[in-house]
Amino acid sequence: MDGYLNESQTTFGSIHGQSQFFPFHRRFVYEWEKVGKQYNSAFAQPYWDEMRDYRAPASSQVLSSNWLGGNGQGNNRCVQNGFQAGWTMTYPNNHCFSRSFSNNGNPTSWYSPEYIESVIQRSADMTALRPGIEYSLHGIVHLDIGGDMSQRHSPNDWIFMLHHANIDRLWWQWQSDYNHMWTMDGPNSDGNAISINSNIAYFNEPIRNVMQLGYGQMCFQYASDPIRRRSLDASASQKMASTLPGEVLSEWFPDTAKSPMAFVTGEVSEERAGKPIPYPGTLTDDWISKQHLDRAAVKRVEADARNFVDAMKKAKYNSPY
């Protein structure tokens, strides 16, 4: 694992806050999966759809003792359950594997499936999508899990790979659903414009090699294809399309507004009547600085998320999640 941690730390300042973010992490998680296959040819890297657990992240089954384990304990926040229980990490120094959940062990809400779907539908290019995902769901999961996960050696925590596989899945959804298969724009790590012919940070190969899943070395797909499998499932999508006023749909879900029934079937379950969407957590100034992010850009994304929640509350929309 140390090689992957060194790779992540070496490239840290070159992959956050600019358009290397998505292609680097796709290539990084793929490399991890390749190593797993050397030990078990059937190994496939799973993803954690964190939006499904956004209201009460600490209660997620993923963070139970049967899976990845929960919060750390004691002064050093050492994790004592789950399959990484009692691990001693050797990078960047010898220490117990740790987590330190925010808000005294009970992280506030993350980002809802509805908001992430809105970001995807409203993003016309990578310059819009990347901060919309990186400064929302990506950052809050790292920060709220804490411990190793909130440091430059975050790949110490197996949550890292599940988290970034999910971030990659969202990028793939945007690529495949909205005609962005080969869209790569915005700044590169050197400040110049990025393109599919630019090299992936750390890896000596062009970004075009990782742009399309199911081809070349990217010989994988995400479960539950066809591609339109979303975190926001059919019944929730139908409820959104049928209950939100037209002007709200047009502003926040432009694709749905054009064809409200384009990807939904069935009835909305009464048992999933839902609750109002809460405001998501925000990134700390320390995290923003450590990630070398543009603070003003982060605050714009956070303000957008709050405006989204306000619009949903005003429309009396209740999320089934």
Side-chain angles (χ1 to χ4, degrees):
M1 183 179 280
D2 287 358
Y4 291 89
L5 294 166
N6 181 61
E7 178 179 317
S8 178
Q9 184 136 315
T10 300
T11 60
F12 195 87
S14 303
I15 58 179
H16 295 102
Q18 39 82 20
S19 294
Q20 284 279 348
F21 175 76
F22 282 116
F24 171 83
H25 284 104
R26 176 172 288 174
R27 184 65 177 80
F28 188 60
V29 174
Y30 164 74
E31 194 70 20
W32 172 260
E33 184 177 71
K34 279 203 311 181
V35 172
K37 287 183 180 297
Q38 293 177 12
Y39 293 89
N40 183 340
S41 60
F43 175 73
Q45 175 59 48
Y47 65 85
W48 175 19
D49 188 350
E50 301 113 331
M51 292 89 78
R52 295 297 186 102
D53 297 321
Y54 84 101
R55 285 188 186 273
S59 299
S60 170
Q61 182 179 358
V62 174
L63 300 178
S64 70
S65 59
N66 291 330
W67 296 90
L68 294 187
N71 200 11
Q73 305 296 319
N75 292 336
N76 293 326
R77 312 307 299 169
C78 303
V79 175
Q80 298 177 5
N81 62 0
F83 82 87
Q84 283 189 276
W87 280 25
T88 296
M89 313 309 295
T90 60
Y91 192 91
N93 49 47
N94 286 339
H95 66 282
C96 72
F97 168 62
S98 69
R99 294 191 186 122
S100 184
F101 291 177
S102 66
N103 194 35
N104 296 316
N106 187 30
T108 54
S109 62
W110 291 345
Y111 287 80
S112 68
E114 290 91 343
Y115 180 69
I116 298 301
E117 176 71 18
S118 176
V119 169
I120 289 171
Q121 288 197 23
R122 290 182 290 134
S123 295
D125 50 28
M126 181 66 73
T127 304
L129 179 74
R130 193 270 310 159
I133 299 296
E134 183 182 1
Y135 301 163
S136 63
L137 183 67
H138 168 259
I140 201 66
V141 173
H142 273 280
L143 183 64
D144 280 359
I145 295 297
D148 282 77
M149 185 67 172
S150 64
Q151 304 300 320
R152 289 195 172 200
H153 48 274
S154 53
N156 269 343
D157 194 329
W158 273 63
I159 288 176
F160 177 96
M161 297 300 172
L162 275 75
H163 178 44
H164 274 282
N166 189 46
I167 296 297
D168 185 62
R169 181 180 68 96
L170 297 174
W171 179 31
W172 177 241
Q173 178 185 316
W174 179 77
Q175 286 183 284
S176 54
D177 282 9
Y178 298 101
N179 196 29
H180 291 298
M181 189 65 69
W182 300 101
T183 299
M184 183 55 56
D185 56 74
N188 203 342
S189 54
D190 60 4
N192 294 321
I194 202 169
S195 76
I196 61 172
N197 295 316
S198 303
N199 274 354
I200 303 170
Y202 185 86
F203 297 99
N204 187 29
E205 58 186 74
I207 289 172
R208 64 176 180 269
N209 286 7
V210 303
M211 291 296 287
Q212 190 168 12
L213 302 189
Y215 294 88
Q217 65 180 355
M218 298 291 103
C219 191
F220 66 92
Q221 292 280 4
Y222 286 101
S224 301
D225 269 350
I227 291 165
R228 297 193 80 83
R229 159 69 168 87
R230 288 175 161 86
S231 299
L232 192 68
D233 67 16
S235 63
S237 299
Q238 184 177 11
K239 178 179 179 179
M240 185 180 70
S242 62
T243 61
L244 290 177
E247 64 273 16
V248 177
L249 276 176
S250 295
E251 179 178 2
W252 296 103
F253 302 98
D255 183 67
T256 304
K258 293 174 186 175
S259 181
M261 302 306 295
F263 56 86
V264 296
T265 57
E267 297 297 327
V268 180
S269 170
E270 289 299 324
E271 292 84 65
R272 300 182 66 200
K275 300 177 182 179
I277 298 173
Y279 292 120
T282 56
L283 303 181
T284 64
D285 285 341
D286 178 67
W287 173 264
I288 292 169
S289 176
K290 187 162 53 179
Q291 295 276 310
H292 309 295
L293 306 180
D294 180 338
R295 187 177 187 278
V298 172
K299 295 305 173 184
R300 283 195 295 272
V301 170
E302 293 176 345
D304 181 74
R306 290 193 298 273
N307 290 338
F308 174 83
V309 171
D310 289 339
M312 296 302 106
K313 288 181 178 178
K314 185 176 180 180
K316 296 182 171 53
Y317 172 81
N318 289 330
S319 172
Y321 300 104

